């Protein structure tokens, strides 16, 4: 079956099933489990605190760090980093061969390490005899490989989101934004606009208090209507 035919079949099955009962939706785990709520607030507090502390630390470093510094264990530092990069490449190759979902995370990790490698290679070789070699290595090897890793991770994540998203009826409409093309392919979902999958994940954002109040208000109104 083509992609368009699969979407059409999924839409038809959704219409046959019809909307479920009002109480059939899985309860929000953040409202049901107080521990999850505390963990979410802790993560928000730590993330915001790290942003504030790191911003101040950057200012301190910019004002106090010397322009030149004799680094110790230079050889061990770079050898160990390249060993970790080798491990990242090997594990990424394994996940690609075995078709594991963790490949998305490994591609992001490997791409980030390649960008760090290029950044420090070029930054530490400026005004030295190896500067142009480091620049060529970054431009023709490290950064292109990082772009390939990030592109592959994005495509895999897009495919995962597309496979897990419900098929809206407008996808088959002539004016729908997700109308398949002539070859049966649908427009890929936008990762920037696609919501996180899973019940209760929206509670991990700062606007969750308003959502909680709205949910409690809705439940209170429903109980009041039922009592009448």
């Amino acid at each position: 079956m083509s992609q368009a035919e699969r979407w059409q079949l999924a839409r038809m099955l959704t219409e046959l099933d019809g909307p479920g009962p009002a109480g059939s939706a899985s309860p929000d785990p953040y409202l049901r489990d107080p521990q999850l709520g505390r963990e979410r607030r802790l993560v928000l507090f730590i993330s915001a605190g790290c942003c504030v502390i790191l911003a101040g630390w950057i200012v301190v470093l910019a004002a106090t760090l010397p322009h030149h510094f004799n680094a110790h264990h230079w050889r061990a530092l770079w050898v160990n980093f390249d060993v970790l990069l080798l491990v990242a490449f090997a594990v990424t190759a394994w996940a690609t061969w075995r078709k594991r979902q963790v490949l998305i995370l490994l591609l992001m990790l490997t791409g980030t390490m390649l960008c760090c490698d290029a950044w420090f290679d070029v930054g530490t070789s400026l005004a030295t005899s190896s500067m142009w070699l480091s620049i060529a290595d970054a431009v023709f090897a490290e950064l292109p490989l990082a772009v390939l890793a990030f592109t592959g991770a994005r495509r895999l994540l897009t495919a995962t989101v597309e496979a897990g998203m419900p098929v809206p009826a407008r996808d088959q409409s002539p004016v729908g934004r997700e109308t398949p093309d002539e070859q049966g392919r649908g427009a890929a979902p936008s990762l920037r606009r696609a919501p996180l999958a899973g019940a209760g994940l929206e509670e991990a954002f700062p606007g969750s208090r308003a959502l909680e109040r709205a949910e409690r208000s809705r439940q209170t109104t429903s109980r009041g209507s039922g009592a009448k």
Side-chain angles (χ1 to χ4, degrees), residues 83-105:
V83 169
L84 293 176
L85 187 58
L86 173 62
V87 172
F89 274 118
V91 178
T92 302
W94 171 85
T96 304
W97 177 51
R98 299 292 294 178
K99 299 179 181 179
R100 296 293 191 259
Q101 190 71 18
V102 73
L103 177 60
I104 298 175
L105 297 178

Side-chain angles (χ1 to χ4, degrees), residues 114 117-119 121-122 132-145:
L114 286 168
D117 197 6
W119 173 266
D121 269 344
V122 175
W132 293 110
L133 178 60
S134 298
I135 292 176
D137 188 24
V139 171
F140 296 106
E142 294 164 341
L143 293 181
L145 288 174

Side-chain angles (χ1 to χ4, degrees), residues 103-126:
L103 177 60
I104 298 175
L105 297 178
L106 293 173
L107 286 172
M108 294 296 297
L109 172 64
T110 304
T112 303
M113 293 183 68
L114 286 168
C115 289
C116 293
D117 197 6
W119 173 266
F120 287 107
D121 269 344
V122 175
T124 55
S125 64
L126 293 177

Side-chain angles (χ1 to χ4, degrees), residues 63-81:
T64 60
L65 278 181
H67 294 286
H68 303 280
F69 182 78
N70 294 324
H72 300 282
H73 307 292
W74 186 257
R75 181 184 303 173
L77 173 67
W78 283 109
V79 169
N80 291 336
F81 183 86

